[in-house]
Amino acid sequence: MQLHQASWPEVEAYLKRSKGIVIPIGSTEQHGPNGLLGTDAICPEVIAKEAGDEAGFLVGPTFNVGSAQHHLAFPGSITLRPTTMIAAVNDWIDSLVRHGFTRIYFFNGHGGNIAPVNAAFSESYSAYSLDGEACPYQLKLENWFTLPGVQPLVRELFPEGEGGHATASEVSVTYYAYPEAQKQVEMSPKIAPTGPIRDAADYRRRFPDGRIGSDPSQATPEKGAKLVAQAKRAMIADVKAFFEGQA
Amino acid sequence: MQLHQASWPEVEAYLKRSKGIVIPIGSTEQHGPNGLLGTDAICPEVIAKEAGDEAGFLVGPTFNVGSAQHHLAFPGSITLRPTTMIAAVNDWIDSLVRHGFTRIYFFNGHGGNIAPVNAAFSESYSAYSLDGEACPYQLKLENWFTLPGVQPLVRELFPEGEGGHATASEVSVTYYAYPEAQKQVEMSPKIAPTGPIRDAADYRRRFPDGRIGSDPSQATPEKGAKLVAQAKRAMIADVKAFFEGQA
Amino acid sequence: MQLHQASWPEVEAYLKRSKGIVIPIGSTEQHGPNGLLGTDAICPEVIAKEAGDEAGFLVGPTFNVGSAQHHLAFPGSITLRPTTMIAAVNDWIDSLVRHGFTRIYFFNGHGGNIAPVNAAFSESYSAYSLDGEACPYQLKLENWFTLPGVQPLVRELFPEGEGGHATASEVSVTYYAYPEAQKQVEMSPKIAPTGPIRDAADYRRRFPDGRIGSDPSQATPEKGAKLVAQAKRAMIADVKAFFEGQA
Amino acid sequence: MQLHQASWPEVEAYLKRSKGIVIPIGSTEQHGPNGLLGTDAICPEVIAKEAGDEAGFLVGPTFNVGSAQHHLAFPGSITLRPTTMIAAVNDWIDSLVRHGFTRIYFFNGHGGNIAPVNAAFSESYSAYSLDGEACPYQLKLENWFTLPGVQPLVRELFPEGEGGHATASEVSVTYYAYPEAQKQVEMSPKIAPTGPIRDAADYRRRFPDGRIGSDPSQATPEKGAKLVAQAKRAMIADVKAFFEGQA
Amino acid sequence: MQLHQASWPEVEAYLKRSKGIVIPIGSTEQHGPNGLLGTDAICPEVIAKEAGDEAGFLVGPTFNVGSAQHHLAFPGSITLRPTTMIAAVNDWIDSLVRHGFTRIYFFNGHGGNIAPVNAAFSESYSAYSLDGEACPYQLKLENWFTLPGVQPLVRELFPEGEGGHATASEVSVTYYAYPEAQKQVEMSPKIAPTGPIRDAADYRRRFPDGRIGSDPSQATPEKGAKLVAQAKRAMIADVKAFFEGQA
Amino acid sequence: MQLHQASWPEVEAYLKRSKGIVIPIGSTEQHGPNGLLGTDAICPEVIAKEAGDEAGFLVGPTFNVGSAQHHLAFPGSITLRPTTMIAAVNDWIDSLVRHGFTRIYFFNGHGGNIAPVNAAFSESYSAYSLDGEACPYQLKLENWFTLPGVQPLVRELFPEGEGGHATASEVSVTYYAYPEAQKQVEMSPKIAPTGPIRDAADYRRRFPDGRIGSDPSQATPEKGAKLVAQAKRAMIADVKAFFEGQA
């Protein structure tokens, strides 16, 4: 069930059988010459939707703009400052907790979100820890690309040129989701350079077309379908364990 | 063109012909017994997409959770505190301005967003006004439901029971967008009560099923299609005038 | 009764008969060639004082600097950033609620305050709505110039050149309050131009002497007296209804 | 000249001869059984007005609600949290600096404001100090009651029972300003107890009627007139020295 | 007992016999040609350690970077903005209160901390005062250099050239603490100038080598030892009175 | 060279030969029955001091209270909320950058700091990335326990019971630093349980004596000496590479 297409009585009924919800969380940022700006939001969104439909859990709206300051030298990238992101994630959490959700699973598509979301969780728990009260809910952050079985499949599909940003795998997932948005672009060099991530100007100087270590010209909808299938399977198991309090 | 399905070189090319962008902005909140929680985000999103496709302007990601504290007594509603929303809207603005956008058109689906978004605009302009510099960009907030021609059509389609929240018209637009999400629910009373909006507990006491003054059981995809067509026409004219600096 | 001239035992006694208080809220900003910088604070202050004296309700101190970034290109204008204003309004509310006030009526003289004050109210309610508790108090914002009967009188007194900023009516009210502060200034053009409000530099370019659409050279203390009398009558009725919980 | 009764062209003309402005800053808080809630705002306001009229300097609007959390157990007291006060004072400073004021003299009536206003000054200077730029303006905080000659006069007028809060002198100044607001109240004990200031509940327990160490039943308008005259003389000298850069 | 060298069971045991803790609080900022950047943190730290060891009270970690914007034109100085310092001091307080500490004694070495720490205390108390609850703890700020007997000893040791910043006495205390860090530097002029403190550029212009009114070339470890002994004695008495609720 | 024992002219001289500085960053939190509350600050502090002395780089003051909300159910633990920590780290960075430092190496002793410090770095870079300017400095976070060669040595010294919190290795380092602070405590169970980290109440329930997966009764000063020696070697190489811009 997708929350944005449900009515409140339907969510009320859901809460009688489960206190868990999944929130896809991504970013809107450049993904190289042939990748979509929405890649990091689309990937967790599409996997979460299929998983939620199959396993019957509730999927909330996608947190679609995240922490992406380092991509701002490429047009179209949008960022939240980390402190804004911490505030926003806490408002989402507080709203969901108010309804009785006790397991909130943030399903992530963007490495740059990991630090601010973990900081947001710590901010959320701090209120209880400083008050000396037990926190009534549990928070979890999981990336689709680190779920069990995903990286082995990635290495099988892309023995070379998976890379670290604008990866062959994530572009494939978006091509599976929006085949009409595929873009044919010659990559030069074939495999992009690698290096550390700092501010936006430094990033563009090091990675002139936005890619890090990747050759996303290998991306296809078919490979995306395989990745989604594997990630979905792994995610359903992970979500179930978390919702049942075993995670 | 939708930003989340574009690549950065495509946005770079777009910026050579236009400095304007549209950001759909809504809310995730209860919309009565048969309305979708995503209604206020879906309405501007679907209208903006059709308008952008037709008129060739860029549509950014949807700001999908807004200011909805008064709906929190109904499961599934999510809110940003107004101060969080002001910070987030400013981060979006700053990111877009960084790329050279000078006309940012927030296309709104939720009355509760009007105050915080206008406060956010004022916060954004304040930096320039206090520094004594001319601000290089212009911001505009427009609701789909107040565009020219929309309310006349609403009155024609729903002579009675349009209402103030969970309106017949907005539910129609979502049914047009997601016909599979239509819900048949008996309304009781036929037309919901009206009154002031304060905190969530007060709201639920006054408006037990979430509607204000409306009978959204009249909603149909067909009526939604007519509303979208009219809103699209009006919006294209309004966006063009704004992008060309005449608004 | 005016709070700043009362002692705490007098306020304590007042609270035994009423839980309502009025807070005049304005701005310190340019009001054209012959208008006072304090206009928007003076208008609600003088009307509230007369109304409070007549009807026996408590009038708090005037919140005299508001949201006025767009006027900063004219010397003497002072602004709060919207986020500061939201914090300050909330501190005032929290202080008054602490004493047992349950009806707080902000009586406004400045259009630019409407968005941040409504955002502040929403911020205030959010604490209760997110906690799932009923908020024990009610907040209301009302402008003196939109009270019943005021605009009809304005149109009668100033058939032309009332305008949108540095209006003939508000200047009249201040001349009634401080006749010694009247200023004779030739207006050129007679009626000022109109247009949108953005940042301060844009404002000064569009409206070189600060007025929008108005000819305040028509202002007189006598007209001000009539406006105050009408606004006072309407305000007393409005405040009573709100304090009695009917608003 | 009082800013709130001036027009912007008058302030523009003033700025050609002086870059200095005085901001009265006070508090709205209980002042014992016969003192006004507005005492700490009224005192600097009335002295500044007379001094400004005599010496020709500009007096801005009164910052009338300050840092008064410790008085909240007495009805009518209003506080800003210190962080809110720091933000608001900085917005006032930034607005005035924007117009070219380079000497801003905060004329204070409340001991509890000293820490937050000094913290606000430090916050203001920090922006320049961290950027490595010279700050173009100077800030000063001065209390009316610590000006040269004031305490000697106080000791002469009130050999006993001046006290530390709701002092005989400050109540006298307000009775001079608003003789109609005088209140006759028997004090018991004649002279109030003394002690440290902490939170509001502790304050009310230690100082049941709000006074600290004072007997304000000695207050009269005549004594207030003498205090205002002395403070005015001393303030004019102090302001002149500061405006001329010698302070 | 020093908290950072204790285990949690040792602190748990301590809390059974005392609810009081001492937090040394200082600054990291230039202290003239021969003074250490850590002077203001070292002084309260070394005195508190000796006092705590002798009298058996618990000494927490040193808050070692404070409010020092005015020193930023000298390399090595580090500052917190006052608002950051208020937030940090409140987090320390909230953490300690959570464990049951009810007397928190901030033992200060830096004049610039006085305003922000007092503002932080007021912020801390505000939460209780606005809620109408009694605050369960007491906060105190005391400077080592204003303890009884310290200034008389200073005047005896340094009849001339003690000064206001980079004082002979504070440098002596650090030389006592770290004799290996003594620096021999010719002072020119022998005694530094005096004046007001504003932003960093202004400070460096007025006080070219960082000293204010002092001749710290008189500093010796032996004099430092005497100062520490006197401050320790006075501090033990002051802490005891505070912990026992008599302060 | 340690900054807190240096004078500003010494730091000025240092800046002529290097633009790099090391900031030890830790936490004050329970470390099980025999570990010191200051463990996570002491470890990076002692290693950085020895490394700085040997290799001649500047070591700043220790950031000694970090992000530790999950430890608050154990007496003596102190935390910063993540948003406070982000603000404080940014103030330290801004101060150091102001002096011309362009390589700031945060040397960390606490896993819980990783998310907020990385978020702080992102916040710092955001200012430049949003402004479209190249950031003039580089930030790095490195943990002493993940430096090359450290974990192999840990496994050699503690084949079993190193654990995840209150580890045998970190307790050893503190015993090396403060041998007088060693504590003999029987551990029960010998090796502590493992599990996820959430709020403080949950933590104490899962890990009753504070340890996670460790047996720190194996800790000795001798093992600590070996760890410090290895970490120092690795850190010197890492710092040099970073200062020389190769990291």
Side-chain angles (χ1 to χ4, degrees):
Chain A
M1 183 162 59
Q2 293 190 92
L3 186 137
H4 74 278
Q5 293 194 21
S7 67
W8 72 260
E10 289 169 346
V11 175
E12 189 173 61
Y14 173 86
L15 275 160
K16 286 184 181 137
R17 63 178 195 272
S18 172
K19 304 300 187 198
I21 189 170
V22 170
I23 302 291
I25 188 162
S27 181
T28 297
E29 60 181 48
Q30 69 83 16
H31 271 77
N34 74 335
L36 314 189
L37 281 150
T39 299
D40 287 351
I42 293 166
C43 291
E45 185 174 85
V46 65
I47 298 164
K49 183 185 181 311
E50 295 201 8
D53 286 351
E54 181 173 323
F57 51 71
L58 184 63
V59 179
T62 300
F63 195 106
N64 56 7
V65 167
S67 191
Q69 61 82 23
H70 44 299
H71 294 297
L72 284 171
F74 296 91
S77 303
I78 306 179
T79 194
L80 296 182
R81 285 170 180 87
T83 45
T84 305
M85 189 166 189
I86 290 171
V89 168
N90 272 270
D91 287 356
W92 287 45
I93 292 170
D94 291 350
S95 299
L96 295 170
V97 167
R98 202 276 190 214
H99 300 311
F101 289 102
T102 60
R103 295 287 184 284
I104 308 176
Y105 183 98
F106 285 83
F107 189 50
N108 184 42
H110 173 49
N113 285 347
I114 296 173
V117 174
N118 277 319
F121 287 2
S122 178
E123 190 87 8
S124 182
Y125 290 139
S126 291
Y128 293 89
S129 297
L130 285 163
D131 274 3
E133 285 177 34
C135 176
Y137 52 87
Q138 297 182 3
L139 308 168
K140 185 170 183 180
L141 178 69
E142 190 63 54
N143 312 301
W144 73 266
F145 46 81
T146 51
L147 283 168
V150 172
Q151 285 308 311
L153 177 58
V154 164
R155 280 189 294 273
E156 186 188 316
L157 295 171
F158 310 107
E160 278 188 83
E162 161 65 0
H165 183 70
T167 63
S169 62
E170 62 189 351
V171 174
S172 294
V173 170
T174 64
Y175 284 4
Y176 161 74
Y178 299 102
E180 71 281 15
Q182 293 180 68
K183 299 168 211 301
Q184 300 297 336
V185 184
E186 201 71 26
M187 300 288 155
S188 167
K190 193 72 179 159
I191 294 186
T194 61
I197 294 177
R198 295 193 177 113
D199 64 292
D202 181 81
Y203 187 107
R204 180 129 198 189
R205 190 177 53 74
R206 291 176 186 273
F207 315 113
D209 69 1
R211 295 174 297 143
I212 301 182
S214 70
D215 170 16
S217 68
Q218 305 173 78
T220 68
E222 295 71 29
K223 292 172 187 167
K226 288 182 188 168
L227 288 160
V228 169
Q230 173 58 31
K232 181 187 69 177
R233 266 193 304 276
M235 187 216 180
I236 289 174
D238 197 52
V239 167
K240 275 191 181 164
F242 177 61
F243 283 7
E244 291 163 9
Q246 302 163 357
Chain B
M1 181 163 58
Q2 293 190 91
L3 186 136
H4 73 280
Q5 293 193 22
S7 67
W8 72 260
E10 290 169 345
V11 175
E12 191 175 59
Y14 173 86
L15 275 160
K16 287 186 181 136
R17 64 178 195 272
S18 172
K19 305 298 187 200
I21 188 170
V22 170
I23 302 291
I25 187 162
S27 181
T28 297
E29 59 182 49
Q30 68 84 17
H31 271 78
N34 75 335
L36 314 189
L37 281 150
T39 298
D40 287 352
I42 293 166
C43 290
E45 185 174 85
V46 66
I47 297 164
K49 183 185 182 311
E50 295 200 8
D53 286 351
E54 181 173 322
F57 53 73
L58 184 64
V59 179
T62 301
F63 195 106
N64 56 6
V65 167
S67 191
Q69 61 83 23
H70 43 299
H71 294 296
L72 284 172
F74 296 92
S77 303
I78 307 179
T79 194
L80 296 182
R81 285 170 178 87
T83 44
T84 305
M85 190 167 187
I86 290 171
V89 167
N90 272 270
D91 287 355
W92 287 46
I93 291 170
D94 292 350
S95 298
L96 295 169
V97 167
R98 201 275 189 215
H99 301 311
F101 290 102
T102 60
R103 296 288 184 283
I104 308 177
Y105 184 98
F106 284 84
F107 189 51
N108 184 40
H110 173 49
N113 286 346
I114 295 173
V117 173
N118 278 318
F121 288 2
S122 178
E123 188 87 8
S124 183
Y125 290 140
S126 291
Y128 293 89
S129 298
L130 285 163
D131 274 3
E133 285 176 34
C135 176
Y137 53 87
Q138 297 182 3
L139 307 168
K140 183 170 184 180
L141 178 68
E142 190 63 55
N143 313 301
W144 73 266
F145 47 81
T146 52
L147 283 168
V150 172
Q151 285 308 311
L153 177 57
V154 165
R155 280 189 295 272
E156 186 188 316
L157 295 171
F158 310 107
E160 277 188 85
E162 162 64 0
H165 182 71
T167 64
S169 62
E170 63 188 349
V171 174
S172 294
V173 171
T174 63
Y175 284 4
Y176 162 74
Y178 298 102
E180 71 279 15
Q182 293 178 71
K183 299 168 211 302
Q184 301 297 336
V185 183
E186 202 69 29
M187 300 288 156
S188 166
K190 193 72 180 160
I191 294 186
T194 62
I197 294 178
R198 295 192 177 114
D199 63 292
D202 182 80
Y203 187 107
R204 180 129 198 188
R205 192 178 52 75
R206 291 176 187 274
F207 316 113
D209 69 1
R211 296 173 297 142
I212 301 182
S214 69
D215 170 16
S217 68
Q218 306 173 78
T220 67
E222 294 71 29
K223 294 172 187 166
K226 289 181 187 169
L227 288 159
V228 169
Q230 174 57 33
K232 182 188 66 178
R233 267 192 304 274
M235 187 216 179
I236 288 173
D238 197 51
V239 167
K240 276 191 180 164
F242 177 61
F243 283 5
E244 290 163 12
Q246 301 162 359
Chain C
M1 182 163 57
Q2 293 189 92
L3 186 137
H4 74 278
Q5 293 193 21
S7 67
W8 72 260
E10 290 170 345
V11 176
E12 190 174 60
Y14 173 87
L15 276 159
K16 287 184 180 136
R17 64 178 195 273
S18 172
K19 304 298 187 200
I21 188 169
V22 170
I23 303 291
I25 187 161
S27 181
T28 296
E29 60 181 48
Q30 68 83 17
H31 272 78
N34 75 335
L36 314 189
L37 281 149
T39 298
D40 287 352
I42 293 166
C43 291
E45 185 174 85
V46 66
I47 298 164
K49 184 186 179 313
E50 296 200 8
D53 286 351
E54 182 172 322
F57 52 70
L58 184 63
V59 179
T62 300
F63 195 106
N64 56 5
V65 167
S67 191
Q69 61 83 22
H70 44 300
H71 294 296
L72 283 172
F74 296 91
S77 303
I78 306 179
T79 195
L80 297 181
R81 285 170 178 87
T83 45
T84 305
M85 189 166 190
I86 290 171
V89 168
N90 272 270
D91 286 356
W92 287 46
I93 292 170
D94 291 349
S95 298
L96 295 169
V97 167
R98 201 276 190 215
H99 301 309
F101 290 103
T102 60
R103 295 287 184 283
I104 308 176
Y105 184 97
F106 285 84
F107 189 50
N108 184 41
H110 173 50
N113 286 347
I114 296 173
V117 174
N118 277 319
F121 287 2
S122 179
E123 189 87 8
S124 183
Y125 290 140
S126 291
Y128 293 89
S129 298
L130 284 163
D131 274 2
E133 285 176 33
C135 177
Y137 53 86
Q138 297 182 5
L139 308 168
K140 184 171 183 180
L141 177 69
E142 190 62 55
N143 313 300
W144 74 266
F145 47 82
T146 51
L147 283 168
V150 172
Q151 284 309 311
L153 177 58
V154 165
R155 282 188 294 272
E156 186 187 314
L157 295 171
F158 310 107
E160 278 187 83
E162 160 66 359
H165 183 71
T167 64
S169 61
E170 62 188 352
V171 175
S172 295
V173 171
T174 64
Y175 284 4
Y176 162 75
Y178 298 102
E180 70 280 15
Q182 293 179 69
K183 299 167 211 301
Q184 300 297 336
V185 184
E186 202 68 29
M187 301 288 155
S188 167
K190 194 72 180 159
I191 295 187
T194 61
I197 294 178
R198 296 193 176 111
D199 64 292
D202 181 81
Y203 187 107
R204 179 129 198 190
R205 191 177 52 74
R206 292 176 186 273
F207 316 112
D209 69 1
R211 297 174 296 141
I212 301 182
S214 70
D215 170 16
S217 67
Q218 306 172 77
T220 69
E222 295 71 28
K223 293 172 186 166
K226 289 182 188 168
L227 288 159
V228 168
Q230 174 56 31
K232 181 187 68 176
R233 266 192 305 276
M235 187 216 179
I236 288 173
D238 197 51
V239 167
K240 274 191 181 165
F242 177 61
F243 283 6
E244 292 163 10
Q246 302 163 358
Chain D
M1 181 162 58
Q2 293 190 93
L3 186 138
H4 74 279
Q5 293 193 21
S7 67
W8 72 260
E10 290 170 345
V11 175
E12 190 174 61
Y14 173 87
L15 275 159
K16 288 185 181 138
R17 63 178 196 272
S18 172
K19 305 297 187 200
I21 189 169
V22 170
I23 303 292
I25 187 163
S27 182
T28 297
E29 60 182 47
Q30 69 84 16
H31 272 78
N34 74 335
L36 314 189
L37 281 150
T39 298
D40 287 351
I42 292 166
C43 291
E45 185 174 85
V46 67
I47 298 164
K49 184 187 180 311
E50 295 201 9
D53 286 350
E54 183 172 320
F57 51 71
L58 183 63
V59 179
T62 300
F63 194 106
N64 56 6
V65 166
S67 191
Q69 61 83 23
H70 44 299
H71 294 297
L72 283 172
F74 295 92
S77 303
I78 307 178
T79 195
L80 296 182
R81 286 170 178 87
T83 45
T84 306
M85 190 167 188
I86 290 171
V89 167
N90 272 270
D91 286 356
W92 287 45
I93 291 169
D94 292 349
S95 298
L96 295 169
V97 167
R98 202 277 189 213
H99 301 309
F101 291 103
T102 60
R103 296 288 185 282
I104 307 176
Y105 184 98
F106 284 84
F107 189 51
N108 183 40
H110 173 49
N113 286 346
I114 296 173
V117 173
N118 278 318
F121 288 2
S122 178
E123 189 87 7
S124 183
Y125 290 139
S126 291
Y128 293 89
S129 297
L130 284 163
D131 274 2
E133 285 176 32
C135 177
Y137 53 87
Q138 297 181 4
L139 308 168
K140 184 170 183 181
L141 177 69
E142 190 63 55
N143 312 301
W144 73 266
F145 47 81
T146 52
L147 283 167
V150 172
Q151 284 309 310
L153 177 57
V154 165
R155 280 188 295 271
E156 186 188 315
L157 295 171
F158 310 107
E160 277 188 85
E162 161 65 0
H165 183 71
T167 65
S169 63
E170 63 189 349
V171 174
S172 294
V173 171
T174 64
Y175 283 5
Y176 161 75
Y178 299 101
E180 71 279 15
Q182 293 179 70
K183 298 168 211 302
Q184 301 298 335
V185 184
E186 203 67 31
M187 301 287 157
S188 167
K190 194 71 178 160
I191 295 186
T194 61
I197 294 178
R198 296 194 176 109
D199 64 292
D202 182 81
Y203 187 107
R204 180 130 198 188
R205 192 177 52 75
R206 291 177 187 273
F207 316 113
D209 70 1
R211 297 174 295 144
I212 301 182
S214 71
D215 170 16
S217 67
Q218 306 172 77
T220 68
E222 295 71 29
K223 293 173 187 167
K226 290 183 187 168
L227 287 159
V228 168
Q230 174 56 32
K232 181 189 67 176
R233 267 193 303 275
M235 187 215 179
I236 289 173
D238 197 50
V239 167
K240 275 192 181 163
F242 177 61
F243 283 6
E244 291 163 11
Q246 302 163 357
Chain E
M1 181 162 58
Q2 293 189 92
L3 186 137
H4 74 279
Q5 293 193 20
S7 67
W8 72 260
E10 290 169 346
V11 175
E12 189 174 61
Y14 173 87
L15 275 160
K16 287 185 181 137
R17 64 178 194 271
S18 172
K19 304 299 187 199
I21 188 170
V22 170
I23 302 291
I25 187 162
S27 182
T28 296
E29 59 182 48
Q30 68 82 16
H31 272 78
N34 75 334
L36 314 189
L37 281 150
T39 298
D40 287 352
I42 293 166
C43 291
E45 184 174 87
V46 66
I47 297 164
K49 183 185 180 311
E50 295 201 9
D53 286 351
E54 182 173 321
F57 52 71
L58 184 64
V59 179
T62 300
F63 195 106
N64 56 7
V65 167
S67 191
Q69 61 83 23
H70 43 300
H71 294 296
L72 284 172
F74 296 92
S77 304
I78 307 178
T79 195
L80 296 182
R81 286 169 178 87
T83 45
T84 306
M85 190 167 188
I86 290 171
V89 168
N90 272 270
D91 286 357
W92 287 46
I93 292 170
D94 291 351
S95 299
L96 295 170
V97 167
R98 202 276 190 214
H99 301 309
F101 290 102
T102 60
R103 295 288 184 283
I104 307 177
Y105 184 97
F106 284 84
F107 189 50
N108 184 40
H110 173 50
N113 286 346
I114 296 173
V117 173
N118 277 318
F121 287 1
S122 178
E123 189 86 9
S124 183
Y125 290 139
S126 291
Y128 293 89
S129 297
L130 285 163
D131 274 2
E133 285 176 33
C135 176
Y137 53 86
Q138 298 182 4
L139 307 169
K140 184 171 183 179
L141 178 69
E142 190 62 54
N143 313 301
W144 73 266
F145 46 81
T146 51
L147 283 168
V150 172
Q151 285 308 311
L153 176 58
V154 164
R155 282 189 294 272
E156 186 188 315
L157 295 171
F158 310 107
E160 279 188 85
E162 161 65 358
H165 183 69
T167 64
S169 62
E170 63 188 351
V171 175
S172 294
V173 171
T174 64
Y175 284 4
Y176 161 75
Y178 298 102
E180 71 280 15
Q182 293 179 70
K183 299 169 211 301
Q184 300 297 336
V185 184
E186 202 68 31
M187 301 287 155
S188 168
K190 193 70 180 160
I191 294 187
T194 62
I197 294 178
R198 294 191 178 115
D199 64 292
D202 182 80
Y203 187 107
R204 180 129 196 188
R205 191 178 52 75
R206 291 176 186 274
F207 316 113
D209 70 0
R211 295 174 297 143
I212 301 182
S214 69
D215 170 16
S217 67
Q218 306 173 77
T220 67
E222 294 70 28
K223 293 172 186 167
K226 289 182 188 168
L227 288 159
V228 168
Q230 174 56 32
K232 182 188 67 177
R233 266 192 305 274
M235 187 216 180
I236 288 173
D238 198 51
V239 167
K240 275 191 180 164
F242 177 61
F243 282 6
E244 292 163 10
Q246 301 163 359
Chain F
M1 181 162 58
Q2 292 190 92
L3 187 137
H4 74 280
Q5 294 193 21
S7 67
W8 71 260
E10 290 170 344
V11 175
E12 190 174 60
Y14 173 87
L15 275 159
K16 286 182 184 140
R17 63 179 196 272
S18 172
K19 304 299 187 199
I21 188 170
V22 169
I23 303 291
I25 187 163
S27 181
T28 297
E29 60 180 49
Q30 68 84 15
H31 271 79
N34 75 334
L36 313 189
L37 281 149
T39 299
D40 287 352
I42 292 166
C43 291
E45 185 174 84
V46 65
I47 298 164
K49 183 186 180 312
E50 295 201 8
D53 286 350
E54 182 173 322
F57 52 72
L58 184 62
V59 179
T62 300
F63 195 106
N64 56 7
V65 167
S67 190
Q69 61 83 23
H70 44 299
H71 294 296
L72 284 171
F74 295 92
S77 303
I78 306 178
T79 194
L80 296 181
R81 284 170 179 86
T83 45
T84 305
M85 190 166 187
I86 290 171
V89 167
N90 272 270
D91 287 356
W92 287 45
I93 292 169
D94 290 351
S95 298
L96 295 170
V97 167
R98 202 276 189 214
H99 301 309
F101 290 102
T102 59
R103 295 287 184 284
I104 308 177
Y105 183 99
F106 285 85
F107 189 51
N108 184 41
H110 173 49
N113 286 346
I114 296 173
V117 173
N118 278 318
F121 288 2
S122 178
E123 190 85 9
S124 182
Y125 290 139
S126 291
Y128 293 89
S129 297
L130 284 163
D131 274 3
E133 284 175 35
C135 176
Y137 53 86
Q138 297 181 4
L139 307 168
K140 184 171 183 179
L141 177 69
E142 190 64 54
N143 313 301
W144 72 266
F145 46 81
T146 51
L147 283 168
V150 172
Q151 285 309 309
L153 177 58
V154 164
R155 281 189 295 272
E156 185 188 316
L157 295 171
F158 310 107
E160 277 187 84
E162 161 66 0
H165 183 70
T167 63
S169 61
E170 65 188 349
V171 174
S172 293
V173 171
T174 64
Y175 283 5
Y176 161 74
Y178 299 102
E180 71 280 14
Q182 294 179 69
K183 298 167 212 302
Q184 300 298 335
V185 184
E186 202 69 28
M187 301 288 154
S188 167
K190 193 72 180 159
I191 295 186
T194 62
I197 294 178
R198 295 191 176 112
D199 63 292
D202 182 81
Y203 187 107
R204 179 129 198 189
R205 191 177 53 74
R206 290 177 187 274
F207 316 113
D209 69 1
R211 296 174 295 143
I212 301 182
S214 70
D215 170 16
S217 67
Q218 306 173 77
T220 69
E222 294 71 28
K223 292 173 187 166
K226 289 182 187 169
L227 288 159
V228 169
Q230 173 57 31
K232 181 188 67 177
R233 266 193 304 275
M235 188 216 178
I236 288 173
D238 197 51
V239 167
K240 276 191 180 165
F242 177 61
F243 282 7
E244 291 163 11
Q246 303 163 357

